[in-house]
Amino acid sequence: MLKFRRYLITNLKAIYRCQPGRLWVSFSLLILLMVSFQVVEKLQPTRNCRCELERALQQTTDRSQENPDYVLQTHTPPREDDHPYRQRKAVMEHAENTRDGFQMHLYYRQVTPRESSPDRQEGHWAWQPAESNNKMKAYLSAQQLKSQLSTPRKATRGDIFPGVPESAATALGDTVDGVLFTNSIATEEHKKTTSPQMMRVALQSPPQHQAMGSPPRPWGDSAKHTVLGTAQLLRADDFYRTELERGPLPSWAEISTDETALGDGGQVEDVFFQKVCKPQTNIVFLKVHKSASSTVMNILFRFGEMHNLTFAFPLRGGHQLFYPHHFMARFVQGFSPGKPPQFNILCHHMRFLRPEVQKVVPSTAIYFSILRNPVQLMESSFVYYKGTSAFSRARSLEEFLSQPYRFYNPTAGDSHYARNLMTFDFGFNPDAEVTAKRVNLMLRAIEASFDLLLISEYFDESMVLLKETLCWDLDSVVSFPLNSRDSSTRSPLSSITAEKIKAWNRLDWEIYTHFNRTFWERIERDIGRERLWQEVRALRQRRAELARTCLQGTGSVGPKDIKDSSLRPLQYGNARILGYNIKQGLDEATEHMCRRLVTPELQYSTALYKKQFPPNPPQNTPQRPLQKPPQLAPSLQGMQQGKALRYRLKGTRH
Ligand SMILES: Nc1ncnc2c1ncn2[C@@H]1O[C@H](COP(=O)(O)OS(=O)(=O)O)[C@@H](OP(=O)(O)O)[C@H]1O
């Protein structure tokens, strides 16, 4: 050992004595130093909020991780690429290539508003909406307008375009998320038209799958701020034509042109306003329990059936996606890991887990869900899930709430029905400690994943918002309430009980109150109260018409009074679930339409499953000649024109 050391020292001395040797040693030391820096840097804890969000969410996500008994099927941890935020980015990248949102061209006219001081040389750019002839709605100096449009920052409504009316604010409001981009600015001089000094601003709304609260769209090279020359300049109607040529007809398009005298100067302003959208067919609906979700599901079933869309059915035609386990793509019949996501609609009961859901539906899918006031939700849940471990021994909801931990065992496999059921369905831990930070993280995570949260107390308003978001027509969202209890199994609640329910379901309460608020903000922003009420009225009228056409009597009836057993809903727990009788003697087309409206969830799901996965004919029976694959339905037009859907929902008793 001593000898070796002496040998090493002698050699090192020899190396160090010569010039190249010294250089070599210095170089090695330098490399060593750089490597050490790299290592130290890697070991530093990353302190950015996204990391903290991820970590905190992991903690709050799942009690099943704490309780191995709870998980029957373990799943591989999501890959890096599967992380919701990364996936969201992928969605947005895709969005750049889509034109699902609407486009709008606003023409700004240079004017000198009366109230502007005469000594100011600068002209103002004004947008005059068609509806208002003599009032200026928006004033911006040319400077302001240009700088606003070229500044890479979040836009806010009323900031860039003050006073823009509701219809236009739809697009502008969405820019709050930073996804507005101006894809052309051109002055009228470039267009060489009679009206001088016009500025055309083309806006594109965010694509429909843009999630609420998703990160701002990156400005920069993807944002289009091109000042176009005459040759390049597209007219708004060219844009529209391009849309039409591009693919399926938009469900609605609105173009208005107006010429308005603006006072003494005799200046004329052109307003050109255009909206185009394309019906959404890729949809994820988180079917939150006891929140009118079966009624929404019926709407999705009918739409999917009518448009020949595919559903992500539970394996072997089951009715839930292995609930209460977190959703896994492999729970879906026909899912194959190697293939791109291939199903249009995912809407069966599941416990949400976004990275897995994304394997099943295309990245353009709209994600939405529906919430209910936790007080009413728990009252309903107590009756419907009376047989579960937490509720079975309590004589009343009041008794349960007086000492919940006498009855409630968080480790029981069915305890989620008794506490924070919405939180659980969204994939989070219903027994987590309620802190402001956790609540905030949970809300942010929901916002990052979902495009829209509806409120069952405002069901009709929700349907109007839904059809706007999905770019569907009103008829597609008309429904009759399904899965409702009769009054004999409902109990009125005292205010004390209501308060206890809120406290017991605090996480649900936080979710509900937050999204109830954003719901109305969204209504204001996207639709406006006035148009909302018009649409709600129209929806109710349509429902009343359909009830007169389809239903016997005045509406729903108790289970014993439902004559057609295939229309009898599942009776569960202590609840008596109502159903409907269809009128006799309807023509075939109408009968089918009416039947679909009142078919309970389980029967409808089974029927659609059989259409999507037709059972193999028995081996020993002779093969019939090749038939066309079963068509679930003709087009929407077919429904509107009263054409028949050629299949009956028969023999589908649960
Ligand atoms: N259109 C409409 N508007 C408002 N409320 C409605 C509507 N449709 C169904 N419901 C009520 O929703 C409750 C059933 O919810 P779900 O269908 O989600 O239940 S389930 O989890 O699928 O069993 C059930 O609530 P309860 O009757 O209180 O139990 C239904 O009455």
Side-chain angles (χ1 to χ4, degrees):
M1 191 62 190
L2 210 65
K3 257 188 193 168
F4 176 71
R5 210 192 302 162
R6 218 175 286 142
Y7 168 81
L8 200 70
I9 291 169
T10 325
N11 270 319
L12 280 175
K13 272 183 184 164
I15 290 171
Y16 199 70
R17 240 177 265 132
C18 66
Q19 180 75 5
R22 271 201 299 275
L23 272 174
W24 185 83
V25 170
S26 320
F27 183 68
S28 310
L29 283 173
L30 194 70
I31 297 281
L32 202 68
L33 204 67
M34 281 165 69
V35 169
S36 325
F37 273 137
Q38 291 268 328
V39 171
V40 169
E41 202 171 291
K42 280 257 151 63
L43 290 176
Q44 287 288 328
T46 331
R47 289 216 167 270
N48 67 42
C49 65
R50 179 168 296 178
C51 245
E52 284 181 4
L53 173 68
E54 286 165 15
R55 214 175 315 120
L57 283 175
Q58 263 168 13
Q59 283 163 11
T60 186
T61 293
D62 191 6
R63 69 172 166 198
S64 61
Q65 273 140 23
E66 297 148 26
N67 171 21
D69 289 343
Y70 205 69
V71 187
L72 292 182
Q73 323 239 1
T74 52
H75 58 79
T76 44
R79 287 180 298 120
E80 266 218 333
D81 286 349
D82 288 341
H83 191 275
Y85 293 93
R86 272 180 255 287
Q87 295 282 359
R88 173 53 67 191
K89 188 165 171 278
V91 169
M92 291 179 72
E93 273 159 10
H94 174 88
E96 268 165 32
N97 301 323
T98 63
R99 283 271 169 84
D100 290 349
F102 68 77
Q103 291 161 346
M104 180 170 70
H105 289 200
L106 300 178
Y107 277 65
Y108 280 80
R109 173 84 167 90
Q110 194 164 32
V111 292
T112 311
R114 285 198 193 108
E115 55 270 44
S116 78
S117 77
D119 50 13
R120 281 183 69 182
Q121 293 302 304
E122 193 182 49
H124 281 67
W125 293 91
W127 180 59
Q128 175 72 36
E131 308 89 274
S132 160
N133 284 347
N134 41 24
K135 254 211 220 141
M136 297 303 288
K137 286 282 181 168
Y139 282 138
L140 289 172
S141 75
Q143 214 51 39
Q144 271 175 322
L145 181 61
K146 278 179 189 159
S147 74
Q148 293 279 16
L149 291 169
S150 59
T151 311
R153 69 173 189 81
K154 275 189 171 187
T156 52
R157 181 182 157 209
D159 169 7
I160 292 189
F161 303 101
V164 174
E166 293 303 339
S167 50
T170 304
L172 302 174
D174 284 342
T175 67
V176 173
D177 295 334
V179 287
L180 157 79
F181 58 95
T182 307
N183 52 13
S184 68
I185 303 175
T187 58
E188 191 69 8
E189 287 92 332
H190 288 145
K191 292 169 78 182
K192 300 204 182 345
T193 65
T194 48
S195 172
Q197 296 172 311
M198 287 286 292
M199 179 179 288
R200 189 186 71 163
V201 179
L203 306 168
Q204 179 164 323
S205 78
Q208 304 257 329
H209 48 260
Q210 181 68 45
M212 302 183 310
S214 53
R217 187 189 184 88
W219 292 70
D221 50 11
S222 64
K224 315 285 190 300
H225 288 275
T226 333
V227 176
L228 300 172
T230 325
Q232 294 167 283
L233 190 65
L234 277 172
R235 279 187 51 79
D237 45 355
D238 292 336
F239 235 140
Y240 179 58
R241 211 170 297 133
T242 320
E243 271 306 317
L244 289 182
E245 281 157 8
R246 197 171 279 128
L249 277 170
S251 75
W252 51 271
E254 187 185 298
I255 299 182
S256 67
T257 331
D258 201 14
E259 290 214 334
T260 312
L262 288 179
D264 305 339
Q267 292 162 322
V268 173
E269 176 173 328
D270 287 337
V271 175
F272 200 105
F273 176 59
Q274 169 190 336
K275 288 178 178 178
V276 177
C277 70
K278 200 174 99 189
Q280 281 289 340
T281 50
N282 296 320
I283 293 160
V284 174
F285 171 56
L286 176 62
K287 191 176 185 302
V288 166
H289 285 79
K290 294 291 142 212
S291 59
S293 65
S294 306
T295 308
V296 177
M297 193 187 209
N298 177 275
I299 289 170
L300 296 175
F301 277 168
R302 280 183 286 131
F303 188 87
E305 180 188 37
M306 214 163 279
H307 296 279
N308 233 356
L309 305 177
T310 54
F311 289 89
F313 284 109
L315 287 175
R316 293 175 289 281
H319 296 296
Q320 305 197 349
L321 291 153
F322 277 75
Y323 188 85
H325 310 296
H326 271 118
F327 176 80
M328 301 290 290
R330 62 187 151 85
F331 298 162
V332 171
Q333 183 73 41
F335 167 75
S336 46
K339 282 197 201 154
Q342 73 264 51
F343 298 99
N344 295 117
I345 300 181
L346 173 62
C347 63
H348 287 75
H349 276 304
M350 66 170 154
R351 190 174 183 203
F352 189 68
L353 186 63
R354 174 134 187 156
E356 286 293 315
V357 168
Q358 281 170 314
K359 294 178 185 168
V360 170
V361 286
S363 59
T364 51
I366 290 277
Y367 286 60
F368 80 101
S369 186
I370 186 160
L371 308 171
R372 186 178 186 186
N373 186 322
V375 175
Q376 278 72 46
L377 191 148
M378 192 174 189
E379 191 273 321
S380 170
S381 173
F382 184 80
V383 176
Y384 201 78
Y385 299 112
K386 190 70 182 68
T388 59
S389 59
F391 291 150
S392 58
R393 288 179 299 116
R395 276 167 299 179
S396 66
L397 185 52
E398 284 74 10
E399 188 184 31
F400 175 86
L401 291 162
S402 63
Q403 284 178 296
Y405 284 104
R406 239 182 77 201
F407 307 101
Y408 179 78
N409 171 7
T411 63
D414 56 2
S415 63
H416 55 280
Y417 292 117
R419 188 179 199 190
N420 290 317
L421 185 48
M422 293 194 286
T423 303
F424 183 86
D425 286 354
F426 276 96
F428 302 103
N429 177 2
D431 294 305
E433 192 196 343
V434 184
T435 62
K437 187 178 172 193
R438 187 183 300 264
V439 168
N440 189 31
L441 290 171
M442 188 173 69
L443 298 178
R444 280 170 60 195
I446 296 173
E447 281 177 345
S449 285
F450 286 84
D451 300 274
L452 182 64
L453 275 305
L454 305 174
I455 302 290
S456 72
E457 280 77 20
Y458 304 104
F459 192 84
D460 293 343
E461 291 82 352
S462 292
M463 292 305 106
V464 171
L465 193 51
L466 181 67
K467 72 128 179 115
E468 290 285 306
T469 308
L470 298 180
C471 190
W472 290 5
D473 60 16
L474 195 71
D475 259 9
S476 301
V477 294
V478 181
S479 63
F480 296 136
L482 298 177
N483 217 8
S484 300
R485 281 173 300 154
D486 81 350
S487 50
S488 70
T489 52
R490 288 177 194 276
S491 341
L493 299 173
S494 69
S495 56
I496 295 169
T497 307
E499 288 310 312
K500 282 184 182 169
I501 295 177
K502 284 183 208 167
W504 175 246
N505 297 281
R506 178 70 194 283
L507 289 169
D508 272 12
W509 183 248
E510 297 287 347
I511 293 179
Y512 178 75
T513 48
H514 176 81
F515 289 109
N516 190 13
R517 199 184 62 247
T518 58
F519 174 81
W520 289 103
E521 284 168 7
R522 179 96 172 234
I523 294 268
E524 292 283 358
R525 195 189 70 186
D526 290 3
I527 304 177
R529 298 258 171 168
E530 199 177 312
R531 188 157 74 82
L532 175 77
W533 300 135
Q534 284 168 12
E535 301 252 20
V536 165
R537 254 199 310 275
L539 181 77
R540 289 177 182 160
Q541 264 169 20
R542 187 75 187 109
R543 185 187 300 129
E545 268 168 39
L546 281 171
R548 281 192 296 275
T549 308
C550 296
L551 305 180
Q552 280 180 32
T554 50
S556 53
V557 293
K560 288 202 191 87
D561 298 321
I562 302 170
K563 291 168 197 142
D564 181 340
S565 60
S566 72
L567 296 181
R568 199 167 294 151
L570 174 73
Q571 303 298 310
Y572 202 75
N574 281 358
R576 259 165 46 96
I577 305 293
L578 304 172
Y580 299 89
N581 287 316
I582 308 178
K583 269 191 179 153
Q584 302 286 307
L586 299 172
D587 66 71
E588 198 186 358
T590 316
E591 204 262 353
H592 281 296
M593 180 193 64
C594 296
R595 179 171 285 274
R596 287 199 321 277
L597 274 161
V598 300
T599 300
E601 171 186 336
L602 303 190
Q603 289 93 314
Y604 207 159
S605 180
T606 303
L608 291 174
Y609 178 82
K610 283 182 185 161
K611 288 282 164 189
Q612 192 166 314
F613 301 101
N616 289 331
Q619 293 282 308
N620 50 2
T621 52
Q623 289 282 320
R624 282 197 290 162
L626 262 182
Q627 286 181 327
K628 260 180 78 183
Q631 296 285 304
L632 286 182
S635 69
L636 178 64
Q637 221 179 355
M639 179 194 175
Q640 285 165 340
Q641 291 166 5
K643 286 185 189 160
L645 285 173
R646 303 285 167 212
Y647 95 90
R648 288 177 72 89
L649 294 161
K650 279 232 156 172
T652 53
R653 289 194 61 188
H654 44 271

